[in-house]
Amino acid sequence: MSENNRRDFIKKSALLSVGALVGCKVVSESTGVSAGSTTGSIPVIGGFTLPDLPYSFDALEPHIDKLTMEIHHDRHHKAYVDNLNKALTELKSTADNLEEICKNISSYNTAVRNNAGGHYNHSLFWKWMSPKGGGEPTGKILEVINSNFTSFEEFKKKLNEAGTKRFGSGWAWLVKKSDGTFEITSTPNQDNPLMDVAEVKGTPILGVDVWEHAYYLKYQNKRADYLAAWWNVVNWEEVNGRL
Ligand code: MN3
């Protein structure tokens, strides 16, 4: 457990205790990826909430523009959260762990698949970017890159390729598989490598949104230009925290 995860865990535990005392719905503000539980035997259905963006809308300028960030977070991500809650409510499902939902996604309907994926993927995506990001990776991730993909240049090329070749909407990922090896892959729509339906399964270490809504206002149809700019905001500290 990394220091950040430990802090999140402690914070979440504290929130849960408070929630138990006051009998209210509790969510993890730190990750936004856990939904609430409640006291006694009354289950909470659809308690997922939109996490705050960890920086201002214009913080990633000029690489990612303010309006794109505002619409992407406040409208697109919010819609995934709202529609996930709606879909779980319709199913009367009290599932409250987003990772577990993703891992068992084949047992849910398309609405849960799209919106649980959308909520999970974007919750990570905001943290994978930072106004202090970019530059050369250091630490553990540099070792992983050099030993699995030869060099940072090759790694960038492969992830860019995965992103540009993904037809339509989707994501490109660096995945750590259960056997400890690493692979670059892409998924359609809001699928992710946690999902039991994914071609390459594992833990997402880094991912980039290649839906048009992530770049169209500034880059129009030039997805490759968006990806080239995106490297200037990659939060390597966050990536290292996931290794
Ligand atoms: Mn998106």
Side-chain angles (χ1 to χ4, degrees):
M1 196 182 273
S2 74
E3 191 53 40
N4 274 345
N5 288 343
R6 192 175 298 118
R7 269 200 301 274
D8 283 352
F9 176 74
I10 291 165
K11 193 174 163 191
K12 195 175 153 196
S13 306
L15 281 167
L16 284 168
S17 312
V18 172
L21 286 172
V22 299
C24 67
K25 198 159 67 173
V26 174
V27 291
S28 167
E29 287 170 8
S30 52
T31 62
V33 295
S34 301
S37 62
T38 186
T39 54
S41 57
I42 309 159
V44 166
I45 297 174
F48 289 99
T49 58
L50 180 67
D52 287 339
L53 204 60
Y55 35 75
S56 61
F57 293 126
D58 63 357
L60 306 179
E61 296 252 14
H63 311 294
I64 315 283
D65 63 286
K66 181 184 175 182
L67 186 58
T68 294
M69 289 301 293
E70 190 171 346
I71 295 172
H72 201 173
H73 177 271
D74 284 11
R75 298 196 210 164
H76 290 278
H77 190 172
K78 183 175 187 301
Y80 296 125
V81 175
D82 291 347
N83 290 327
L84 172 61
N85 288 333
K86 191 169 163 249
L88 291 173
T89 304
E90 280 167 7
L91 294 173
K92 297 184 170 57
S93 168
T94 55
D96 64 356
N97 184 313
L98 199 47
E99 291 199 355
E100 288 306 314
I101 294 173
C102 288
K103 285 175 185 171
N104 299 294
I105 207 70
S106 61
S107 61
Y108 290 93
N109 60 24
T110 308
V112 173
R113 177 169 169 175
N114 289 340
N115 293 294
H119 181 27
Y120 181 81
N121 298 347
H122 288 86
S123 296
L124 291 177
F125 187 52
W126 310 133
K127 295 197 283 187
W128 277 325
M129 299 186 289
S130 164
K132 292 176 192 154
E136 301 273 325
T138 55
K140 257 186 182 174
I141 184 62
L142 183 61
E143 290 168 32
V144 166
I145 287 170
N146 287 339
S147 56
N148 292 273
F149 306 99
T150 321
S151 66
F152 181 44
E153 281 312 306
E154 281 300 307
F155 173 74
K156 281 207 285 192
K157 210 171 112 189
K158 288 210 171 87
L159 195 71
N160 287 344
E161 258 174 33
T164 49
K165 283 183 181 164
R166 168 50 58 189
F167 183 76
S169 300
W171 292 72
W173 307 95
L174 169 66
V175 181
K176 186 179 183 181
K177 298 191 284 186
S178 57
D179 63 2
T181 61
F182 292 84
E183 192 168 329
I184 286 172
T185 185
S186 77
T187 54
N189 305 314
Q190 293 297 351
D191 285 1
N192 63 52
L194 277 187
M195 293 184 174
D196 56 5
V197 295
E199 214 172 290
V200 176
K201 285 183 259 302
T203 306
I205 302 300
L206 176 63
V208 57
D209 188 345
V210 297
W211 281 57
E212 281 185 347
H213 69 224
Y215 62 87
Y216 206 84
L217 292 179
K218 185 176 169 77
Y219 297 97
Q220 292 83 46
N221 60 328
K222 294 170 285 199
R223 188 186 285 182
D225 288 3
Y226 154 68
L227 285 168
W230 175 76
W231 290 103
N232 292 305
V233 296
V234 172
N235 184 354
W236 295 114
E237 207 180 310
E238 178 68 25
V239 174
N240 268 320
R242 293 184 63 78
L243 284 170

